[in-house]
């Protein structure tokens, strides 16, 4: 008797990645484009919602897990990355995506941002970058350029803005990209690539805040004042190649990082988007599994690693 045909895997619908929670961002906010891109990327990848963990910090972006029907955790200001790291190490079978704002990630969470790049845990970090702290009425965030003055600021900023791509290159992120929230088609592709990358992927997203940032508006990004868009897609240049072919070659790594660094400093009328840098290196999870072989087949949460008899220790200390 022939064996019964295996049941076809379930096909998830886009709607299954959405919740019924009312999205209360301001009308015209760039967050909508990022939210839609994450949902569409998970749908394209057909990752079961119950195998995804969305982790957020504080700010407008912090509400993102409320709107995606997966596991989710809305954590403390700047702490999305350490919580996401813990989630991935506790259950290496989860797809872990951390989200945050530019103030949340590059200000309060700057130390975590750097150290997460060093570790190369297999997870994704997406930063909503609009140059202001939108939820708290538009103070200058770390990415607002020196000399800029939004309508909520009494005076122009006297501090230099952080370059997130340059910071990520120095920290050691193994996949680095940048998108634009109002170009959803391209942003979906970048989110798919970021999640598919084996290692820590970092995606900075230019995002409009129509209420508090009256400098970088959708009209400004569209270049209505100069007659062309300010968004430059790196892959429009046929010679652009951000992928390190030989991870053992320090010369190639330095060359590719140098090109990415130069592109990251494009400002004003030309803002580079796309994949800046990509390299395949052993992940933290893989190296941990070499120390604890059981992790190769089972997530940490399923292992009885901590069911130990500590009575002898207490007896010794008595």
């Amino acid at each position: 008797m022939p064996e019964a045909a295996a049941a076809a895997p379930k096909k998830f619908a886009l709607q299954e990645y959405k919740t019924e929670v009312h999205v209360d961002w301001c009308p015209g906010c760039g967050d909508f484009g990022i939210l839609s891109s994450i949902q569409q990327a998970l749908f394209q990848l057909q990752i079961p919602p119950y195998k995804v963990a969305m982790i957020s910090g504080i700010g407008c972006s912090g509400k993102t897990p409320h709107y995606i029907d997966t596991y989710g955790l809305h954590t403390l200001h700047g702490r999305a990355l350490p919580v996401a790291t813990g989630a991935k190490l506790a259950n290496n079978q989860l797809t872990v995506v951390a989200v945050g704002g530019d103030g949340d990630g590059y200000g309060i969470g700057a130390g975590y941002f750097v150290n997460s790049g060093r570790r190369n845990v297999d997870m994704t970090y997406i930063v909503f970058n609009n140059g202001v702290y939108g939820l708290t009425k538009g103070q200058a965030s770390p990415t607002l350029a020196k000399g800029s003055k939004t309508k909520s600021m009494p005076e122009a900023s006297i501090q230099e803005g952080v370059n997130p791509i340059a910071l990520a290159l120095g920290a050691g992120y193994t996949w680095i990209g940048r998108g634009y929230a109002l170009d959803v088609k391209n942003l979906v592709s970048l989110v798919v690539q970021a999640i598919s990358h084996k290692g820590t992927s970092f995606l900075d997203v230019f995002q409009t805040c129509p209420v508090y940032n009256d400098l970088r508006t959708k009209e400004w990004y569209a270049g209505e004042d100069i007659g062309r868009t300010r968004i430059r897609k790196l892959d429009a240049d046929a010679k652009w190649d951000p992928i390190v072919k030989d991870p053992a070659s320090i010369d190639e790594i330095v060359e590719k990082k140098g090109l990415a660094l130069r592109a990251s400093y494009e400002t004003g009328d030309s803002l580079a988007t796309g994949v800046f840098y990509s390299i395949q290196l052993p992940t933290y999870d893989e190296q941990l599994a070499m120390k604890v072989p059981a992790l190769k087949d089972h997530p940490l949460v399923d292992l009885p690693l901590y069911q130990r008899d500590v009575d002898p220790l207490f007896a010794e200390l008595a």
Side-chain angles (χ1 to χ4, degrees), residues 87-127:
K88 184 65 182 183
L89 296 184
N91 190 345
N92 55 18
Q93 296 181 4
L94 285 176
T95 294
V96 176
V97 180
V99 296
D102 43 311
D104 181 64
Y106 309 142
I108 298 91
Y112 297 117
F113 180 76
V114 171
N115 283 290
S116 295
R118 296 173 52 221
R119 295 194 187 98
N120 200 31
V121 174
D122 186 18
M123 63 183 190
T124 297
Y125 186 35
I126 300 173
V127 177

Side-chain angles (χ1 to χ4, degrees), residues 101-172:
D102 43 311
D104 181 64
Y106 309 142
I108 298 91
Y112 297 117
F113 180 76
V114 171
N115 283 290
S116 295
R118 296 173 52 221
R119 295 194 187 98
N120 200 31
V121 174
D122 186 18
M123 63 183 190
T124 297
Y125 186 35
I126 300 173
V127 177
F128 301 30
N129 182 358
N130 59 17
V132 296
Y133 288 87
L135 194 65
T136 47
K137 313 305 181 190
Q139 303 94 326
S141 85
T143 56
L144 192 71
K146 183 178 181 180
S148 298
K149 178 182 177 305
T150 67
K151 64 181 181 182
S152 65
M153 298 167 59
E155 297 180 4
S157 172
I158 58 174
Q159 298 185 91
E160 295 288 351
V162 165
N163 181 332
I165 303 297
L167 192 59
L169 286 166

Side-chain angles (χ1 to χ4, degrees), residues 16 57-58 67 74 94 156 196 229 237 253 267 272:
E16 292 180 83
I58 296 296
Y67 309 138
H74 191 161
L94 285 176
S196 301
T229 176
D237 179 353
I253 290 173
T267 57

Side-chain angles (χ1 to χ4, degrees), residues 186-264:
N186 191 52
L187 188 54
V188 171
S189 172
L190 289 170
V191 176
V192 167
Q193 292 178 68
I195 293 176
S196 301
H197 174 74
K198 191 75 173 174
T200 307
S201 52
F202 161 62
L203 180 60
D204 183 71
V205 184
F206 288 138
Q207 174 231 1
T208 52
C209 177
V211 176
Y212 292 111
N213 191 332
D214 57 339
L215 303 175
R216 296 205 165 191
T217 63
K218 66 177 183 180
E219 292 80 11
W220 183 85
Y221 280 110
E224 292 185 1
D225 56 326
I226 59 174
R228 61 169 176 78
T229 176
R230 285 186 164 87
I231 298 295
R232 183 175 81 84
K233 295 180 180 177
L234 291 168
D235 60 6
D237 179 353
K239 294 181 180 179
W240 180 254
D241 180 10
I243 301 173
V244 175
K245 307 297 188 300
D246 180 7
S249 171
I250 189 65
D251 290 339
E252 184 182 8
I253 290 173
V254 171
E255 177 193 357
K256 294 291 171 61
K257 284 197 172 187
L259 293 171
L261 186 65
R262 178 176 291 278
S264 77

